[in-house]
Every structure is written in C-alpha cells, then in structure tokens.
Amino acid sequence: MTRVAVLGATGAVGQRFIQLLSDHPTFEIAALTASADSAGSPYREAAKWRVDTPIPEAVADVEVVETTPEAVPDDVDLIFSSLPSSVAERVESDFCEAGYVVSSNSSNERGADDVPLVIPEINPDHLDLIEVQRDNRGWDGALVKNPNCSTITMVPTLATLDAFGLERVHVSTLQAVSGAGYSGVTSMEILDNVIPYIGGEEEKMETESRKLLGEFDGSQVQWHDVEVSASCNRVATLDGHLENVWAELSDDPTVAEIYAAFDDAATQDLHSAPDPLIETFDEPDRPQPRLDRFLGNGMAVAAGGVQETPAGVQYNTLAHNTLRGAAGASLLNGELLDRNGWL
C-alpha cells in the first residue's frame, strides 16, 4: 500500500479526500493535518463532518497533527493538499523541500513555469516537468497541481475539439455554492438570486485552459494559442458546475462528428478514472446538475445540447465540482504519479 497524508483534512475538500480514500485499493491514510487549533484532537472532533456518507471509522479516532513536515511520518509516500491557497503558498514548498511529493488542489503556483498542471486523461506527459522543477528548486520532492473546478469541467471537451482546429472559446458558467466552501456564500446572498461574478475565477479559466492544452517540449510547456473568454456566475445549486460553451473552430464538423469525438475521448487506466471520460446527451436540456453530477461516480464530464454555429459549435458541459473538480482531481493525479513511478 502507498501511504498518504491529507493536508487541511478538516475542510470541505479535505473531507472529500477522506471519503474517496476510505476504501481505496492502493492508498492508505497515514496522517491527517489541520490548523494548530485542531491538532491533538481526534478527527471526528476536529472535523465538522458534512459529506453525504458517514465518517469512515478507520479515521474517526486518528489524531490530527499540525501542518508541518515534522509532524508527518517519514514513510509517507504521497501528500494530498486541500489547503486554502493563502496557507498552501507558505507551507507546500516546505513539504517538497523535505522530500515529499505533493498533489495539490490549491490554486497557488498553477501557472508557474515549472509546476505541472495536470488532468491525467488530457496531458499526463506534463508530469515530466517534475525533473525541470527539481533542477530549478533543488527539491527531492515535487509539487503537482490540478486545475480549478470550472476549468476541469470544460477542458476535456476542448481537448477533444482541438482535433477540429480550436481557435477561440467563450464560456459562461453556472457554478454551485459548494465551490465557495461551506461558509462561502450565505443563504441571504444566493437564494432567489444569481451572483454574476466570482473573484479570480474567470482569469483561472482563461489561463489554466491554455496551459493544460499546451505541449511539453522537454523543458517547458508551450501554452496553446486558443483565446478563452469566461463569465463566471454563482447559482443556487449545491454541487455540479454547468457551463455553456461556444467554441470557434477552423474546421466545420457536423453535430454528429462532435458527439462522436466526445464519445471517443480517451480515458486512463487508473482506479478513479471514469470510463467514458465524457458522457453525452442528445437532449437539448441536458446535462443538469441534479440529474448528472454523479456520472462516473462523480468523476465523469457530461456534455449535451450540441448545436452548430456560424463559427463552430455551442454545447453544455457539467462536472461535479468537489469530486471531479477538486479532491477527485488531486486523487487521480496521485494515482498517475504512483503508476508512473514518481513516488
């Protein structure tokens, strides 16, 4: 078994990590970290458990430790980070310097030239950037990132459309409240309302997409030259980010060819990888968050409502934002790191 630790284990994404790791065939939880206020408490007391399955008995009485390399056992092979970015930017490098490999959901350093930003089904070869990172930073460990939850919803479909000459993308998102964390949006803000702005979200979609779709040339990632414009909106759904995408293409594929390309999107032979990666719907009113967010155990991307436009194609896409878009994405990166011998 591969021994793992979870940084920020008491938060919303940290709890998803615990849920996903509870019956994992390869990964075994060896340490859980949180703030100094929670350190020393059993996990069941430190975490206000809010996930839709019971707290796993195997971790309920595990003592939470502080988020420092010294508090994590030396025999831990892989660390999953669900820390707030303000904390992650201060401490993740400490773990990497101490020799740990960190698969992180936090947004800090996603755009750094020597940090792999990875979706395993899309750009697994970007993990080779780890060698550049180690040379640059003198680390024995490594830092790998997964993208933002709204980016990861859209990019698998864009990667498929790139075969038709992807030139320009416009996207409008309808993002669930869980993406802001348990206390992120109050009921008075979101009930009977839509908030047409999410700080930093649009920039993440516009930049992360280009890095993910880029080519690794052995020393750096050459970002894709597609132009991406995003408008991000918070809506009153609990889980599942729905996005309306307009993609301008140099080729002129039919709707049937688009659906066929989505259906044939490559997946990975990893425990948490969905098969198929993209599940498609012919209906114009699908996918929908309540109906489709748990496809592929919450790890699949859904697409539907495909229509031709004068410049390309318009469609809807959906993914579960705390599973595929957060903890599940880091977990999948961890499985890829383990399989490819980086641990």
Side-chain angles (χ1 to χ4, degrees), residues 11 16 24 33 61 94 100 110 158 168 185 226 271 297:
R16 280 291 190 196
H24 198 279
T33 87
D61 294 317
D94 294 339
Y100 295 103
R110 284 179 184 154
L158 297 187
R168 189 172 293 107
V185 183
V226 62
H271 171 72
N297 295 318

Side-chain angles (χ1 to χ4, degrees), residues 168-230:
R168 189 172 293 107
V169 173
H170 307 275
V171 57
S172 181
T173 72
L174 298 92
Q175 296 183 217
V177 292
S178 58
Y182 190 82
S183 303
V185 183
T186 68
S187 59
M188 290 294 288
E189 288 178 283
I190 198 63
L191 291 177
D192 190 33
N193 201 22
V194 172
I195 302 172
Y197 174 73
I198 304 173
E201 201 81 359
E202 294 165 357
E203 180 183 1
K204 291 172 186 175
M205 293 194 76
E206 292 166 356
T207 58
E208 293 175 8
S209 298
R210 295 182 57 220
K211 184 175 181 180
L212 287 159
L213 295 170
E215 296 288 337
F216 178 60
D217 65 8
S219 61
Q220 61 183 336
V221 174
Q222 301 289 342
W223 289 23
H224 199 293
D225 59 5
V226 62
E227 297 177 18
V228 181
S229 300

Side-chain angles (χ1 to χ4, degrees), residues 41-112:
S41 300
Y43 184 70
R44 71 167 77 244
E45 295 178 10
K48 295 181 180 179
W49 189 256
R50 296 188 173 103
V51 178
D52 49 3
T53 56
I55 185 170
E57 286 299 318
V59 301
D61 294 317
V62 171
E63 182 178 313
V64 174
V65 299
E66 290 194 52
T67 307
T68 65
E70 295 76 19
V72 173
D74 292 339
D75 63 352
V76 163
D77 304 295
L78 175 64
I79 287 178
F80 294 110
S81 174
S82 61
L83 296 170
S85 296
S86 58
V87 178
E89 64 185 6
R90 291 188 283 108
V91 305
E92 285 181 347
S93 60
D94 294 339
F95 283 89
C96 296
E97 288 174 4
Y100 295 103
V101 175
V102 179
S103 178
S104 172
N105 179 66
S106 304
S107 64
N108 57 295
E109 297 217 72
R110 284 179 184 154

